[in-house]
Structures are given as structure tokens and as C-alpha cells.
Amino acid sequence: YFTLVNFIITFVLEIIMFSVQSSLPSVGSILLFFLVLYSFAVLLPNLGVTVRRLHDIGKNGWFILISLIPIIGFFWIFVLLILDSTPGDNKYGSNPKGVVAPTIQTPPAPTA
């Protein structure tokens, strides 16, 4: 939800900024300032959410650096972030959705 709300706020600010900038350049500049300020304000929380999401799929937080690879990095990190969480616990903690890893039931040994 954090990413969704962040996207909506940024999208609305950009739409307003670009629609106002042609008629009132000074208001457009003020909106640009608020957009940059908002982007810096959510930078660290955004990094934290991304690292937490990487931990949910069992990857190290340093995988976020993949996004620095031009073109391919964006798509690679996007695919990693939309993967489903690993069921059960991993080395970074328990599954945030509460999904437990399936256990393999072994049949009882036959009795003679």
C-alpha cells in the first residue's frame, strides 16, 4: 500500500504541475519544488519497504543495487518485487502473510 499511495501522490502532483505550468509558470515551479521535497521525504521509507519486500522473497537487501544496472536493472528488480513471498520462515523472518510452508507427510511404516 505504501508504494501504491506513493505512486498516486506523485502522479497527481505531476499531472497538476504539468497542466498548470503552461499557464502559470511560477505555480508550476512551486509544485515542482513540493514534488522534489516529497520525493526526498519518502526516499528512505521507500528503500526500507523495498528491502523488506526483498527479504520476503528470501533475497538479501543488497539486491536493491540491481536497479542501478541501466535498463535491465529496472525490469529485474520489478520482477523480483512482484514475486510471491516464500512460504513459511526464511533467514530474514516469518512470512508476512502468515502462510506456512507445506510439510511433507510420510506414510506410516507398514506393520507386519
Side-chain angles (χ1 to χ4, degrees):
Y1 287 111
F2 173 80
T3 305
L4 178 64
V5 170
N6 186 25
F7 175 77
I8 291 171
I9 290 172
T10 304
F11 186 73
V12 168
L13 279 174
E14 286 179 356
I15 293 292
I16 294 170
M17 182 186 68
F18 285 122
S19 64
V20 170
Q21 190 154 6
S22 61
S23 59
L24 300 168
S26 60
V27 175
S29 298
I30 292 171
L31 287 173
L32 176 64
F33 172 74
F34 282 118
L35 183 63
V36 170
L37 187 67
Y38 175 76
S39 297
F40 279 121
V42 296
L43 179 66
L44 287 179
N46 195 13
L47 288 174
V49 167
T50 305
V51 168
R52 174 61 188 163
R53 182 67 194 111
L54 287 170
H55 284 178
D56 289 345
I57 62 171
K59 302 288 184 198
N60 194 329
W62 288 104
F63 267 75
I64 200 169
L65 296 177
I66 289 173
S67 61
L68 296 176
I69 300 171
I71 301 168
I72 297 170
F74 169 78
F75 293 107
W76 191 355
I77 199 79
F78 181 75
V79 168
L80 286 176
L81 294 178
I82 62 173
L83 288 175
D84 195 18
S85 303
T86 55
D89 297 341
N90 61 22
K91 67 181 183 178
Y92 301 106
S94 60
N95 187 316
K97 294 191 265 182
V99 178
V100 201
T103 57
I104 299 174
Q105 298 283 335
T106 56
T111 57

